[in-house]
Amino acid sequence: MYLTSQGKEIVKNIFDKYTVNAVLIFDFQNIKYYFFKDRSLNKDDVFAYIVWNNLKSEVIQHPKEIDEKSYYGIYLNDISYEKYKRIKSTFKFKDISKVVNELRQIKSIEEINKMKKAGKITDEILLTALSLIDSYSENEVSKILKGEMEIKGEGYAFTPIVAYNKNTSSIHHIPKQYSPSKKDVILIDVGAKYKGYCNDTTISLSKKREVKDKISEIFHLLMELEDIAKEGKSVKEITHYAKEKLTKYGKASFYHHHLLGHGIGIEVHEKPFFNSNTVLKKNMTITLEPGIYIKNKYGIRIEKTYIIRKEKRAKPLNKAMEQLI
């Protein structure tokens, strides 16, 4: 097994900060993509992956293979309580989650390239979705999009949200077998995965003048937020700007329903979290998703995934949206 460039960096940081003999990695769904280049690793075959302080790595197939006298660094964030109880009684360890989560915020070039590819696939999926809407229900479109993402990438970051008409006003709408003859308002929230890395994109569309004007307003706000989101700006500052712009909508504003954005990478929601005082740094990857939700009428949300740059505006990883709104 070979470590990725970011895997080497993070392991070196762990050995610098903690007195441990090795790092044990249990999270097969996400963390393996961060640490290892070998994509054939199968969670059914192993108990854990281990990286020693000389950067050599190997597979641990059973807890009995772990040296009880050694001290291990463990990423506890994604370990089940049952597994935690098991390892707690087996060997000595220190929780390295905080260090790992902090370092994960800054993406390497290798990671950014994977996220660009996930963005490209998501753009293609959006275009596919729009070709299906006239003929299919919310649930049918969502299922087709999941299948398309399995074919084009490594599946989906989350189950696609497809909502029509008043269903768009529900931020966590579960697609239903609903296909009205008139689809006056449409919301699609979708994100592909590529080599373990996620995208998250939302588009709102309507032919109704009232709604179309508000979609345009939210889209232009997103463009303003792109200008503001750069190294040195805090997520709190960016949120305040968006909140002030939409204050006229009162409780319909996104601010009363969800955060303005979130970090994104091997998990669709990760640091930096937008309910913090985090100051953005170059090569952080985030989403921005302003919106309004008018109960039982319609909802509008526009969302893209971005790379933070030093002096320039945030760079979107989605390009199809400008052609569609």
Side-chain angles (χ1 to χ4, degrees):
M1 297 189 305
Y2 296 96
L3 288 168
T4 59
S5 57
Q6 66 268 14
K8 288 178 183 177
E9 180 186 352
I10 206 166
V11 169
K12 287 175 182 175
N13 267 276
I14 289 164
F15 289 127
D16 285 344
K17 293 178 187 297
Y18 298 97
T19 306
V20 293
N21 302 103
V23 175
L24 279 173
I25 299 152
F26 294 90
D27 173 26
F28 306 101
Q29 292 301 316
N30 295 317
I31 296 299
K32 74 173 183 182
Y33 290 101
Y34 193 74
F35 281 96
F36 300 115
K37 292 181 180 179
D38 185 356
R39 303 301 167 207
S40 64
L41 299 172
N42 189 327
K43 70 174 181 177
D44 295 326
D45 298 336
V46 301
F47 175 73
Y49 304 113
I50 189 166
V51 183
W52 298 100
N53 53 16
N54 61 3
L55 299 188
K56 288 186 177 179
S57 55
E58 57 185 286
V59 169
I60 300 293
Q61 293 182 315
H62 194 278
K64 290 181 180 179
E65 296 176 39
I66 296 174
D67 179 11
E68 294 180 15
K69 296 178 182 178
S70 295
Y71 223 118
Y72 298 94
I74 296 179
Y75 184 79
L76 286 179
N77 275 27
D78 292 314
I79 294 179
S80 67
Y81 182 64
E82 289 303 314
K83 180 164 278 190
Y84 172 74
K85 287 195 297 183
R86 189 177 182 187
I87 65 175
K88 189 178 180 181
S89 61
T90 306
F91 51 82
K92 297 174 290 185
F93 63 86
K94 292 182 179 179
D95 183 11
I96 58 170
S97 301
K98 185 175 180 180
V99 173
V100 175
N101 289 339
E102 290 300 318
L103 291 170
R104 272 175 54 186
Q105 292 184 82
I106 310 297
K107 303 301 190 287
S108 68
I109 298 302
E110 181 182 351
E111 291 177 286
I112 288 170
N113 286 337
K114 291 171 186 173
M115 293 188 71
K116 286 179 178 177
K117 179 65 174 178
K120 185 178 180 183
I121 294 169
T122 303
D123 281 347
E124 293 171 6
I125 295 301
L126 270 178
L127 294 173
T128 298
L130 296 182
S131 70
L132 300 170
I133 284 166
D134 286 343
S135 305
Y136 294 93
S137 70
E138 296 171 341
N139 190 42
E140 288 168 333
V141 174
S142 182
K143 285 182 177 178
I144 292 169
L145 298 186
K146 286 197 287 187
E148 287 292 311
M149 285 185 280
E150 294 280 6
I151 294 167
K152 292 177 181 289
E154 274 189 0
Y156 43 93
F158 53 91
T159 299
I161 296 173
V162 179
Y164 303 143
N165 299 346
K166 69 178 183 179
N167 289 347
T168 60
S169 66
S170 172
I171 62 168
H172 296 304
H173 177 64
I174 297 172
K176 304 182 186 306
Q177 202 62 32
Y178 173 62
S179 185
S181 56
K182 289 185 70 176
K183 293 165 183 169
D184 293 326
V185 189
I186 298 158
L187 185 148
I188 301 167
D189 188 345
V190 66
K193 288 185 82 168
Y194 180 75
K195 293 191 174 179
Y197 286 79
C198 302
N199 186 271
D200 191 357
T201 302
T202 308
I203 189 169
S204 296
L205 299 168
S206 180
K207 294 178 181 177
K208 293 181 73 173
R209 175 50 57 190
E210 174 199 352
V211 184
K212 199 169 185 178
D213 288 346
K214 287 185 172 63
I215 290 173
S216 180
E217 179 184 359
I218 299 300
F219 181 74
H220 283 97
L221 171 57
L222 185 61
M223 298 299 100
E224 292 174 35
L225 296 174
E226 284 184 17
D227 284 332
I228 297 169
K230 61 185 71 170
E231 185 171 78
K233 289 287 185 180
S234 72
V235 296
K236 186 173 279 188
E237 286 178 87
I238 301 166
T239 297
H240 179 74
Y241 183 89
K243 180 184 174 184
E244 288 298 303
K245 283 285 185 174
L246 299 180
T247 190
K248 64 185 177 184
Y249 290 108
K251 291 188 177 180
S253 168
F254 76 91
Y255 192 74
H256 296 277
H257 301 269
H258 59 76
L259 299 174
L260 178 64
H262 51 85
I264 186 169
I266 54 176
E267 294 178 87
V268 73
H269 292 94
E270 61 180 43
K271 284 191 172 184
F273 299 120
F274 271 59
N275 57 352
S276 69
N277 293 314
T278 302
V279 174
L280 296 176
K281 295 179 182 178
K282 182 182 176 183
N283 288 349
M284 282 183 170
T285 46
I286 64 168
T287 72
L288 295 170
E289 48 181 318
I292 57 172
Y293 306 91
I294 300 171
K295 191 174 180 180
N296 293 324
K297 289 186 71 178
Y298 59 83
I300 297 165
R301 183 168 66 252
I302 311 288
E303 178 183 22
K304 293 185 192 179
T305 298
Y306 297 93
I307 302 167
I308 297 301
R309 298 189 285 186
K310 190 168 186 178
E311 295 174 352
K312 299 178 181 178
R313 71 204 312 258
K315 183 178 182 181
L317 295 179
N318 307 93
K319 298 179 180 178
M321 196 175 297
E322 281 78 357
Q323 307 165 30
L324 302 173
I325 292 180

